[in-house]
């Protein structure tokens, strides 16, 4: 609801997002206030930050964090569906953001692809708490009331993304947002929202009565654990869904770790592992912020080639990849989800600093891993040396920041191998890693 503008904060010298709502309705104005108050109570990397609420003649504004990236709706429109690893990564972060909101007694009530931003480094940010509702008995002070701003039985939200109890106008609890999360995960993995129909009435009927096909029937390569989780999230009865968003986040984190570990295994089933590894590498490639790629890219001497089979231009180059994995300092002690999430946010910031200092490129942040590229989009003769220095520098900065005193350890892998820069007419250049990469 409302119009969002990009603005410049003169006092703090930074770009911000400003959401403007006209004062054509006291209900709309109160919803704007409620959105600002609700989000201002939340502090989580997966939720957009609110800085201020301004009131003026004829309109009010929320001043928010400006998120660089694109919303998940646009990504799905462009790619149709996400890689399994990418869906696990984003889904875990969204679930963690919901867990924080629910812990503060706030329901989102309108979770959908258009309300999730994906940053250039691959992190999810939940947007638009315009329909947020404060639960009774939660929070503190004046906010400790039901602020639905609607009569009992009123339906607010996006028809195909809401829960059955929301569609019926019943009282809601955090499990309503979990149904919406299940619908979003299903759409991320299949490219199709399970309850979307030709009109609002039909969409509501599907939410109430339609049972979508099990995910593994639609996409067989999806892990059975993920398919089962989404089936639980899409249960019509709230009591049959997971207990909370924190539980969902933990399951998704475990599935992501299992997927990565299986992709690194060898021996029997090598073809399956190779397929999974290639899938993960494709996810990493897609996370690269293509807006930063210079055109044209000049490959090192003797490496420029074309791909005759596809009719699409391509340039071969050598790329060195640094993989930093956050692990427990004691192998027998598993990492706590909250500690891992907070630590990964710090590691990502440190990796960005290292990239700036050594002319590297932050490729992706996946589950407990950070990937840094050297040799793309700009090549240097000493890319391999820069990669080693980056690993050492990241370790030093993590130690200085006190991250390793929390029972954490960093594990590094460095590999140099071939890659191809695909040059497609009318599209941004894209990096494809060679099959000899082995992490």
């Amino acid at each position: 609801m409302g119009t969002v503008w990009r603005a410049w904060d003169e006092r703090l010298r930074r770009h911000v997002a400003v959401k403007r709502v006209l004062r054509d309705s006291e209900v709309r104005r109160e919803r704007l206030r409620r959105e600002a108050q609700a989000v201002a109570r939340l502090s989580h990397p997966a939720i957009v930050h609110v800085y201020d609420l301004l009131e003026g003649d004829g309109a009010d504004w929320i001043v928010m964090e400006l998120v660089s990236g694109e919303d998940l709706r646009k990504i799905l429109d462009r790619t149709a569906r996400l890689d399994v690893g990418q869906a696990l990564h984003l889904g875990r972060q969204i679930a963690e953001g919901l867990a924080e909101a629910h812990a503060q007694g706030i329901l989102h009530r309108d979770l959908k692809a258009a309300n999730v931003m994906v940053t250039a480094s691959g992190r999810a940010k939940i947007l638009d708490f315009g329909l947020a509702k404060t639960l009774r008995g939660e929070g503190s002070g004046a906010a400790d009331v039901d602020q639905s701003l609607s009569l009992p039985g009123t339906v607010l939200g996006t028809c195909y993304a809401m829960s059955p109890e929301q569609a019926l106008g019943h009282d809601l609890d955090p499990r309503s947002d979990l149904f919406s999360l299940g619908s979003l995960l299903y759409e991320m993995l299949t490219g199709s929202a399970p309850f979307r129909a030709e009109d609002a009435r039909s969409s509501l009927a599907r939410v109430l009565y339609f049972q979508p096909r099990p995910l593994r029937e639609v996409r067989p390569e999806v892990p059975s654990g993920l398919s089962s989780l989404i089936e639980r999230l899409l249960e019509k009865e709230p009591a049959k869904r997971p207990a909370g968003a924190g539980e969902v986040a933990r399951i998704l984190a475990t599935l992501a770790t299992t997927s990565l570990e299986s992709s690194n295994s060898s021996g029997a089933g090598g073809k399956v592992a190779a397929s999974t590894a290639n899938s993960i590498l494709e996810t990493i490639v897609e996370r690269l912020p293509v807006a930063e790629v210079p055109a044209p890219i000049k490959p090192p001497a003797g490496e420029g080639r074309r791909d005759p089979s596809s009719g699409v231009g391509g340039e071969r180059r050598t790329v060195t990849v640094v993989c930093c994995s956050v692990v427990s300092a004691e192998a027998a002690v598993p990492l706590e989800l909250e500690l891992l999430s907070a630590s990964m946010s710090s590691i990502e910031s440190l990796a960005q600093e290292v990239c700036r200092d050594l002319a590297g490129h932050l490729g992706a942040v996946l589950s407990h891993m950070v990937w840094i590229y050297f040799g793309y989009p700009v090549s240097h003769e000493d890319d391999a040396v820069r990669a080693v220095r980056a690993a050492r520098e990241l370790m030093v900065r993590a130690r200085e920041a006190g991250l390793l005193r929390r029972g954490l350890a960093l594990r590094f892998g460095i590999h140099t191998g071939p890659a191809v820069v695909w040059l497609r007419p009318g599209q941004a250049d894209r990096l494809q890693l060679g099959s000899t990469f082995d992490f």
Side-chain angles (χ1 to χ4, degrees):
M1 298 182 294
T3 305
V4 180
W5 303 83
R6 179 190 179 102
W8 176 253
D9 186 337
E10 288 285 356
R11 290 178 300 171
L12 298 180
R13 312 296 295 174
R14 63 182 176 184
H15 283 102
V16 295
V18 178
K19 185 173 183 177
R20 178 175 182 262
V21 175
L22 295 175
R23 289 185 182 174
D24 56 353
S25 165
E26 279 303 312
V27 171
R28 283 166 61 89
R29 187 179 184 189
E30 185 58 32
R31 282 184 182 145
L32 181 79
R33 288 199 192 106
R34 183 187 61 196
E35 178 182 4
Q37 292 167 353
V39 183
R41 288 164 52 188
L42 305 176
S43 178
H44 193 276
I47 298 176
V48 66
H49 297 293
V50 166
Y51 299 139
D52 204 353
L53 175 63
L54 306 176
E55 298 181 356
D57 295 334
D60 297 326
W61 299 267
I62 298 178
V63 183
M64 302 178 291
E65 170 190 8
L66 180 66
V67 181
S68 299
E70 61 181 333
D71 65 60
L72 191 52
R73 174 75 277 141
K74 292 180 181 177
I75 294 175
L76 291 174
D77 288 343
R78 185 179 69 252
T79 64
R81 65 185 189 182
L82 302 185
D83 174 85
V84 174
Q86 187 180 1
L88 286 168
H89 170 64
L90 295 177
R92 175 183 62 81
Q93 293 183 345
I94 295 169
E96 290 173 354
L98 288 178
E100 169 65 18
H102 295 165
Q104 298 297 325
I106 296 170
L107 302 183
H108 190 282
R109 295 205 298 175
D110 198 24
L111 183 66
K112 57 186 177 181
N115 286 339
V116 175
M117 285 289 292
V118 179
T119 69
S121 60
R123 295 195 64 87
K125 289 269 191 180
I126 303 174
L127 306 174
D128 203 343
F129 279 73
L131 294 183
K133 176 178 178 180
T134 303
L135 297 172
R136 293 182 185 274
E138 300 288 350
S140 59
D144 193 18
V145 295
D146 180 354
Q147 300 183 35
S148 62
L149 293 181
S150 59
L151 295 174
T154 301
V155 177
L156 296 174
T158 303
C159 294
Y160 65 84
M162 65 176 59
S163 67
E165 58 269 29
Q166 186 174 353
L168 292 170
H170 292 171
D171 290 338
L172 305 181
D173 64 25
R175 292 170 297 185
S176 178
D177 280 346
L178 295 190
F179 185 94
S180 300
L181 175 59
S183 178
L184 178 57
L185 285 169
Y186 194 101
E187 182 179 6
M188 289 161 65
L189 289 160
T190 67
S192 177
F195 306 109
R196 191 167 195 166
E198 62 275 8
D199 54 50
R201 184 186 298 271
S202 299
S203 293
L204 288 173
R206 288 174 68 90
V207 166
L208 293 173
Y209 306 113
F210 176 70
Q211 294 289 347
R213 290 174 59 195
L215 191 57
R216 292 206 78 187
E217 292 183 8
V218 181
R219 192 170 176 183
E221 69 269 25
V222 170
S224 59
L226 179 56
S227 181
S228 298
L229 173 63
I230 292 177
E231 287 182 40
R232 290 176 60 202
L233 290 169
L234 295 180
E235 286 283 357
K236 305 300 184 184
E237 294 292 332
K240 296 181 180 180
R241 297 173 204 153
E247 176 187 339
V248 176
R250 287 189 289 273
I251 295 173
L252 291 172
T254 300
L255 289 170
T257 301
T258 302
S259 177
L260 288 169
E261 289 175 349
S262 64
S263 70
N264 289 331
S265 63
S266 57
K271 291 185 178 180
V272 176
S275 174
T276 306
N278 288 337
S279 178
I280 292 174
L281 288 177
E282 289 174 3
T283 300
I284 295 168
V285 170
E286 294 294 36
R287 305 305 313 145
L288 291 171
V290 295
E292 299 179 12
V293 179
I297 297 176
K298 296 182 179 180
E303 292 191 9
R305 292 188 185 176
R306 296 265 172 189
D307 178 21
S309 63
S310 65
V312 179
E315 296 179 348
R316 286 187 179 273
R317 62 172 56 217
T318 297
V319 176
T320 300
V321 180
V322 180
C323 175
C324 173
S325 177
V326 179
V327 298
S328 174
E330 299 181 22
V333 179
L335 282 177
E336 295 181 2
L337 183 62
E338 292 79 6
L339 176 60
L340 177 61
S341 177
S343 300
M344 285 303 297
S345 179
S346 299
I347 291 293
E348 179 182 355
S349 298
L350 294 177
Q352 289 173 337
E353 295 176 3
V354 171
C355 286
R356 287 195 297 267
D357 293 345
L358 296 174
H361 189 99
L362 184 60
V365 181
L366 298 174
S367 183
H368 62 297
M369 308 176 79
V370 174
W371 305 74
I372 301 175
Y373 293 85
F374 290 88
Y376 177 85
V378 179
S379 297
H380 302 86
E381 292 184 359
D382 62 343
D383 279 326
V385 175
R386 291 169 185 259
V388 175
R389 290 178 58 194
R392 294 181 60 184
E393 189 64 24
L394 189 54
M395 175 67 81
V396 170
R397 297 189 188 193
R399 183 179 292 113
E400 291 175 347
L403 294 176
L404 303 187
R405 292 196 296 269
R406 304 177 186 174
L408 301 175
L410 300 184
R411 180 182 298 156
F412 290 91
I414 301 176
H415 191 99
T416 299
V420 174
V421 179
W422 294 108
L423 307 174
R424 292 180 171 84
Q427 298 184 20
D429 302 343
R430 186 171 72 91
L431 184 71
Q432 177 174 327
L433 301 179
S435 59
T436 59
F437 271 91
D438 180 10
F439 298 104

